[in-house]
């Protein structure tokens, strides 16, 4: 038998293990596998042996021991890159934690399994969904439970053995019964009976739900018989957890019927089995019934005596259980996770390689905002990245401009948050200048962290945040977020911090390059573009195949005489004020203002809009006069004034040169000066007009 065929046979045997209801059935499957291995002269890999061992332990009621062995199986599965087995073990660990009553870890591992369902077929995916639905059922979230259970039933009916979907339908029937939809529950149960009538475990569930329906209908005698049938069938299949669970259900029924003599007998039996399998959930269930039992004793003196004695005993018992859960179970989890992390050092090394790769193209990117989709795509192999966002902080306005990507939404435009009016994780990160991550955020924790000004809704339960420092100042923040809880561990945060180093360096380099570019292309006095940048911008416009251009040359009237009269410092101040008015008047993404030389300014527009330009220039002439800057040496006004030449240029063949554009505006300016200054003149290809 070829290696791949042998591995497929092993995987198929593991795949069938959830259908084994007793340790004997597990052993039978293992025996068949051992015989086949002997025939084929093959060996059963360690990870497969461990999974069979874990199933034998769980079917014997040794749930905690079973969890430990499943962790060992994951360790070997990772080394051998058996992704299906890793998913399979996560599903089983989550299921066992649920049976122990630890829904925190149950949810954690079942969610891990669900996220790896691409490595499974429809049958195992259906089982995973069934068990997630069962957890929701146990905690009373029936709506969410029904969604998962319905999906599970469909998958198991299509991909599993004949009775595979029975557990999902039993769970659905139980929910229907608790919702008093007895007809729907009965219909489901009857449709299942023919297929499960020879399966003791399924009959146990069947009779338990029938008993609950009979009890609600007032037929207590029938309910009693059905409960006993449920217990008997679970005892036959030797599944101690379900055996104890059926006894607990019966004890609840006996308590409601005040059948104390029979109740005492079954409490002792059920509690002994629950303690044997160390299920805190079942032990607490029996303890609660004992407390209710004591309260129903008629004689107050006897009741008080028993109550004090048993309460003390139960409290001690519960403290011991909580200690075991707090110490042993959590220690089991932490030690095994640490072991798994150690076994994946190569994976960590690969992760660092991804971070270095991302860092390289971040550093070589001219604009990191454009690189965000590529960053999100690459980081998806390291983190759960439901949302990725980069925020740039404006300290003067106390605002954050946020560029973000959401894997459930199309590309979004950036948006701005005002830190003065709303408290957010980003503003907290910036103001505190500290990196942080969380794994299970809820509304109360969010308000406690951010204050009452925050939006208390929680969409992302796991997140990592870090400030971005540029030249010693916090200039931004970067975040990766996940909708589900418990998605990030310490090593994830360390990788994230490494990534932030690259982002900070890249943004600092971009910022410094922009500053150098700004210094080289702007006039240091007026802070408008310089003459050198005019040529570069014009060439960019030419590449866009524009067919119309407007050039505007602006000159301060008798500027040399102003300098001679009032001094160069006053002259510089005039240049600053006039340039500010020009920038305000021609503020547009398509329009740029340049200091052409001395007291001359040039405005470049990739269009011809005479009416709009006239309006702007009429306003500009007035605004300059309103400065009320005295100019005794002027021949055209007692206050500072300007002259303006406007050149309209059509370029259908894309042959216009910058010299020609400037020359047209310069000729128009010359004419404005000839016309007495303190005015503007328009020059087109054919006609000339004075205003």
């Amino acid at each position: 038998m070829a290696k791949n065929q042998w591995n497929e046979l092993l995987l198929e045997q593991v795949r069938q293990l959830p259908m084994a209801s007793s340790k004997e059935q597990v052993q039978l499957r293992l025996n068949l596998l051992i015989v086949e291995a002997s025939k084929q002269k093959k060996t059963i890999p360690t990870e497969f042996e461990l999974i069979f061992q874990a199933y034998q332990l769980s079917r014997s009621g040794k749930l905690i021991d079973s969890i430990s062995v499943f962790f060992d199986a994951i360790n070997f599965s990772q080394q051998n890159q058996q992704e299906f087995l890793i998913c399979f073990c996560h599903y089983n660990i989550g299921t066992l934690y649920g049976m122990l009553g630890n829904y925190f870890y149950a949810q954690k591992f079942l969610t891990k399994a669900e996220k790896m369902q691409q490595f499974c077929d429809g049958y195992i995916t259906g089982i995973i969904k069934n068990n997630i639905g069962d957890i929701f059922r146990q905690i009373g979230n029936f709506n969410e439970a029904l969604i998962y259970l319905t999906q599970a039933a469909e998958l198991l009916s299509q991909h599993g053995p004949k009775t595979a979907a029975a557990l999902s339908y039993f769970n659905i029937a139980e929910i229907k019964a608790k919702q008093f939809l007895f007809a729907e529950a009965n219909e489901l149960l009857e449709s299942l009976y023919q297929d499960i009538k020879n399966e003791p475990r399924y009959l146990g569930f069947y009779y338990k739900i029938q008993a609950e329906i009979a009890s609600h209908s007032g037929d207590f005698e029938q309910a009693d018989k059905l409960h006993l049938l449920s217990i008997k069938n679970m005892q036959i299949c030797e599944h101690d957890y379900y055996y104890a669970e059926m006894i607990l259900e019966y004890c609840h029924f006996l308590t409601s019927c005040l059948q104390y003599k029979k109740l005492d007998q079954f409490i002792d039996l059920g509690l002994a089995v629950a303690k044997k399998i160390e299920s805190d959930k079942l032990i607490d269930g029996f303890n609660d019934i004992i407390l209710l039992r004591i309260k129903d004793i008629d004689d107050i003196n006897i009741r008080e005596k028993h109550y004090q004695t048993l309460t003390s005993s139960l409290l001690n018992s519960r403290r011991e259980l909580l200690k075991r859960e707090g110490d042993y179970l959590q220690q089991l989890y932490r030690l095994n996770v640490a072991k798994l992390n150690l076994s994946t050092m190569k994976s960590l090394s690969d992760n660092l390689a991804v971070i270095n790769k991302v860092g390289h193209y971040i550093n070589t990117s001219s604009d990191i905002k454009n690189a965000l989709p590529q960053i999100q795509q690459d980081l998806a192999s390291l983190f759960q990245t439901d949302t990725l966002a980069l925020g740039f902080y404006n300290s003067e306005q106390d605002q954050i401009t946020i560029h973000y990507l959401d894997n459930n939404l199309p590309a979004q435009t950036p948006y701005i948050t005002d830190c003065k009016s709303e408290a957010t994780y980003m503003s907290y990160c910036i103001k505190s200048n500290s990196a942080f991550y969380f794994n299970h955020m809820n509304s109360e924790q969010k308000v406690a962290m951010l204050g009452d000004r925050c939006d208390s809704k929680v969409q992302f339960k796991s997140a990592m945040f870090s400030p971005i420092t540029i030249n010693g100042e916090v200039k931004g923040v970067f975040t990766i977020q996940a909708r589900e809880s418990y998605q990030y561990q310490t090593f994830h945060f360390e990788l994230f911090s490494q990534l932030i180093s690259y982002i900070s360096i890249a943004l600092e380099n971009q910022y410094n390059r922009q500053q150098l570019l700004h210094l080289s292309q702007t006039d240091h006095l007026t802070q408008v573009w310089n003459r050198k940048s005019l040529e570069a911008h014009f060439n960019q416009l030419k590449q866009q195949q524009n067919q119309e251009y407007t050039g505007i040359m602006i000159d301060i009237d008798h500027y040399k005489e102003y300098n001679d009269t009032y001094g160069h410092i006053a002259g510089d101040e005039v240049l600053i004020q006039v340039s500010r008015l020009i920038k305000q008047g021609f503020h547009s993404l398509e329009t740029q203002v340049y200091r052409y030389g001395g007291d001359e300014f040039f405005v470049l527009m990739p269009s011809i809009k005479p009416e709009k330009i006239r309006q702007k220039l009429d306003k500009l002439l007035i605004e300059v006069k309103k400065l009320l800057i005295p100019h005794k040496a002027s021949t055209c006004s007692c206050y500072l004034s300007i002259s303006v030449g406007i050149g309209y240029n059509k370029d259908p063949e894309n042959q216009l040169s910058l010299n020609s554009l400037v020359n047209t505006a310069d000729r128009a300016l010359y004419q404005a000066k000839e016309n007495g200054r303190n005015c503007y003149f328009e020059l087109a290809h054919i006609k000339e007009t004075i205003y």
Side-chain angles (χ1 to χ4, degrees):
M1 181 179 288
K3 182 179 179 181
N4 286 343
Q5 290 178 314
W6 174 239
N7 191 64
E8 288 299 321
L9 176 62
L10 291 168
L11 290 173
E12 181 59 27
Q13 290 302 312
V14 167
R15 183 176 173 271
Q16 297 298 326
L17 281 175
M19 299 297 292
S21 60
S22 67
K23 62 182 179 181
E24 285 76 19
Q25 291 185 16
V26 176
Q27 186 63 52
L28 178 62
R29 291 184 181 278
L30 181 57
N31 291 342
L32 292 172
L33 206 52
I34 292 170
V35 171
E36 188 63 29
S38 177
K39 287 181 182 178
Q40 302 296 334
K41 296 182 180 180
K42 299 287 186 180
T43 58
I44 301 175
T46 304
E47 57 268 28
F48 289 92
E49 289 184 339
L50 289 169
I51 288 173
F52 275 92
Q53 181 185 340
Y55 258 88
Q56 287 178 317
L57 289 167
S58 70
R59 294 302 188 254
S60 302
K62 298 177 181 178
L63 307 185
I64 294 175
D65 292 340
S66 178
I67 290 174
S68 182
V69 176
F70 271 120
F71 271 120
D72 291 337
I74 292 177
N75 188 12
F76 282 95
S77 299
Q78 286 182 332
Q79 294 176 23
N80 296 316
Q81 299 181 340
Q82 292 277 12
E83 300 291 349
F84 167 76
L85 295 184
I86 295 170
C87 176
F88 188 77
C89 290
H90 282 154
Y91 138 70
N92 279 284
I93 291 172
T95 301
L96 290 167
Y97 270 119
M99 294 167 75
L100 288 165
N102 193 318
Y103 297 122
F104 172 82
Y105 288 137
Q107 180 269 342
K108 190 178 185 70
F109 282 97
L110 285 169
T111 300
K112 280 187 176 183
E114 186 182 26
K115 290 183 181 300
M116 294 183 69
Q117 62 184 343
Q118 72 269 28
F119 300 110
C120 304
D121 59 11
Y123 170 55
I124 297 299
T125 301
I127 295 176
I128 293 169
K129 288 185 177 293
N130 173 79
N131 287 21
I132 294 174
D134 190 32
I135 294 294
F136 280 122
R137 178 190 65 79
Q138 292 180 56
I139 64 177
N141 188 342
F142 293 153
N143 289 335
E144 198 73 26
L146 286 172
I147 292 172
Y148 272 96
L149 292 170
T150 302
Q151 292 174 354
E154 291 175 359
L155 286 168
L156 293 172
S157 297
Q158 294 174 20
H159 304 285
K162 188 174 182 181
T163 58
L167 284 177
S168 299
Y169 286 124
F170 281 133
N171 283 323
I172 293 172
E174 186 162 354
I175 291 172
K176 297 295 184 183
K178 290 186 183 300
Q179 294 175 329
F180 306 107
L181 302 172
F182 301 128
E184 292 183 29
N186 263 321
E187 184 179 351
L188 259 179
L189 293 174
E190 293 309 315
S191 68
L192 293 170
Y193 184 75
Q194 286 300 319
D195 291 332
I196 58 95
K197 64 182 180 181
N198 296 318
E199 295 281 348
R201 182 166 64 135
Y202 290 144
L203 285 174
F205 294 125
Y206 175 85
Y207 288 126
K208 183 193 81 165
I209 301 169
Q210 287 283 22
E212 188 172 345
I213 294 171
S215 179
H216 279 294
S217 303
D219 191 346
F220 299 115
E221 183 177 349
Q222 179 67 5
D224 191 283
K225 292 178 182 178
L226 292 167
H227 273 300
L228 290 172
L229 283 170
S230 173
I231 293 169
K232 178 181 177 181
N233 277 278
M234 285 306 181
Q235 186 179 21
I236 291 171
C237 73
E238 297 182 343
H239 197 303
D240 285 342
Y241 176 83
Y242 291 127
Y243 179 41
E245 188 178 59
M246 298 306 116
I247 295 172
L248 180 59
E249 292 286 341
Y250 187 41
C251 288
H252 280 299
F253 168 74
L254 294 174
T255 301
S256 67
C257 298
L258 308 179
Q259 296 186 36
Y260 296 127
K261 186 175 180 180
K262 193 183 287 188
L263 174 64
D264 292 340
Q265 171 193 344
F266 278 92
I267 284 178
D268 290 341
L269 174 61
L271 192 54
V273 180
K275 286 181 177 179
K276 174 185 172 185
I277 63 177
E278 298 182 317
S279 172
D280 294 348
K281 178 175 68 173
L282 296 178
I283 293 170
D284 279 354
F286 284 111
N287 285 344
D288 289 338
I289 290 177
I290 291 172
L291 291 174
L292 291 172
R293 169 76 179 91
I294 295 170
K295 291 177 183 178
D296 288 331
I297 296 175
D298 293 331
D299 190 309
I300 188 169
N301 294 321
I302 298 175
R303 182 173 72 239
E304 190 64 25
K305 178 183 176 181
H306 282 283
Y307 189 76
Q308 290 178 3
T309 303
L310 291 176
T311 299
S312 175
S313 172
L314 291 174
L315 288 176
N316 288 333
S317 172
R318 184 162 295 186
R319 274 195 293 268
E320 290 176 5
L321 294 173
L322 290 175
K323 187 176 189 306
R324 183 174 72 247
E325 180 180 328
D327 294 342
Y328 184 73
L329 285 179
Q330 292 188 30
Q331 183 184 40
L332 175 70
Y333 168 74
R334 289 168 183 163
L335 287 176
N336 280 284
V337 168
K339 183 167 63 177
L340 295 180
N341 286 341
L342 286 174
S343 71
T344 56
M345 289 304 294
K346 183 180 183 301
S347 176
L348 293 180
S349 175
D350 293 341
N351 292 346
L352 285 172
V354 173
I355 291 292
N356 289 332
K357 172 193 170 187
V358 173
H360 176 72
Y361 69 71
I362 286 176
N363 280 327
T364 56
S365 172
S366 60
D367 189 347
I368 193 172
K369 297 187 293 293
N370 296 333
L372 286 180
Q374 183 64 45
I375 294 173
Q376 185 185 40
Q377 180 179 332
D378 286 342
L379 293 185
S381 65
L382 306 181
F383 314 112
Q384 182 64 31
T385 54
D386 294 336
T387 286
L388 176 149
L390 175 64
F392 293 95
Y393 180 56
N394 184 325
S395 56
E396 293 181 1
Q397 298 179 346
D398 203 14
Q399 292 178 336
I400 307 172
T401 301
I402 301 172
H403 304 260
Y404 74 105
L405 300 173
D406 188 312
N407 60 7
N408 284 346
L409 299 172
Q412 302 291 302
T413 56
Y415 67 95
I416 296 174
T417 62
D418 191 330
C419 300
K420 296 186 291 293
S421 60
E422 183 182 5
T424 64
Y425 297 128
M426 278 197 168
S427 62
Y428 177 88
C429 182
I430 290 170
K431 299 300 170 100
S432 65
N433 190 18
S434 60
F436 59 90
Y437 77 104
F438 50 77
N439 262 325
H440 189 54
M441 183 61 70
N442 57 39
S443 297
E444 294 76 14
Q445 291 169 330
K446 185 176 182 182
V447 173
M449 179 181 182
L450 303 180
D452 295 333
R453 290 190 299 117
C454 77
D455 181 350
S456 62
K457 293 192 298 294
V458 174
Q459 294 178 318
F460 298 90
K461 295 180 180 178
S462 302
M464 296 187 285
F465 283 84
S466 179
I468 295 172
T469 303
I470 298 177
N471 296 330
E473 294 184 28
V474 177
K475 294 290 187 179
V477 61
F478 187 76
T479 179
I480 294 171
Q481 302 176 13
R483 292 180 178 83
E484 299 296 332
S485 299
Y486 311 109
Q487 297 303 307
Y488 306 129
Q489 298 178 35
T490 302
F491 78 91
H492 286 127
F493 191 57
E494 290 171 355
L495 289 171
F496 178 74
S497 300
Q498 180 76 15
L499 175 67
I500 294 302
S501 299
Y502 284 117
I503 292 176
S504 295
I505 292 170
L507 287 174
E508 188 167 302
N509 289 338
Q510 286 183 18
Y511 177 79
N512 292 337
R513 284 197 299 267
Q514 289 170 358
Q515 289 295 98
L516 289 172
L517 184 64
H518 179 75
L519 288 173
S520 68
Q521 293 188 340
T522 56
D523 175 59
H524 73 280
L525 177 65
T526 61
Q527 294 301 300
V528 298
W529 297 107
N530 60 21
R531 184 168 178 172
K532 179 181 177 182
S533 63
L534 171 60
E535 184 173 359
H537 293 169
F538 178 74
N539 289 334
Q540 291 174 5
L541 289 176
K542 289 283 288 181
Q543 291 176 7
Q544 297 172 15
Q545 303 295 315
N546 286 291
Q547 296 189 6
E548 295 182 341
Y549 298 89
T550 299
I552 304 173
M553 189 71 80
I554 301 171
D555 182 83
I556 298 176
D557 293 328
H558 302 297
Y559 179 71
K560 180 180 181 302
E561 289 78 3
Y562 185 90
N563 269 343
D564 293 341
T565 305
Y566 299 98
H568 289 284
I569 294 177
D572 286 348
E573 183 60 31
V574 162
L575 290 173
I576 292 170
Q577 292 192 60
V578 171
S579 67
R580 176 174 53 82
L581 291 177
I582 296 171
K583 282 193 293 184
Q584 289 176 354
F586 290 93
H587 177 69
S588 167
L589 291 176
E590 293 184 343
T591 304
Q592 302 293 349
V593 178
Y594 306 83
R595 185 178 179 189
Y596 194 75
D599 63 318
E600 288 184 323
F601 296 91
F602 191 82
V603 179
L604 174 63
M605 301 176 66
S607 62
I608 295 176
K609 299 178 180 178
E611 289 300 323
K612 193 171 184 178
I613 292 172
R614 290 166 194 156
Q615 291 173 7
K616 287 181 178 294
L617 288 175
D618 286 335
K619 184 177 180 180
L620 178 62
L621 290 169
I622 293 171
E623 291 296 325
V624 171
K625 290 178 183 177
K626 285 169 65 176
L627 292 174
L628 298 177
I629 298 175
H631 191 352
K632 293 186 293 184
S634 175
T635 62
C636 60
S637 172
C638 58
Y639 293 104
L640 191 81
S641 62
I642 59 173
S643 296
V644 182
I646 310 155
Y648 299 121
N649 301 267
K650 292 189 176 183
D651 186 27
E653 298 179 0
N654 197 31
Q655 294 181 348
L656 181 69
S657 67
L658 178 60
N659 285 339
S660 178
L661 175 69
V662 171
N663 185 55
T664 305
D666 209 28
R667 286 166 49 211
L669 174 63
Y670 176 82
Q671 192 61 51
K673 291 180 179 181
E674 286 292 308
N675 292 337
R677 302 177 186 265
N678 193 15
C679 64
Y680 62 84
F681 186 87
E682 292 176 301
L683 180 62
H685 287 291
I686 299 174
K687 71 173 185 178
E688 303 174 3
T689 313
I690 299 175
Y691 293 89

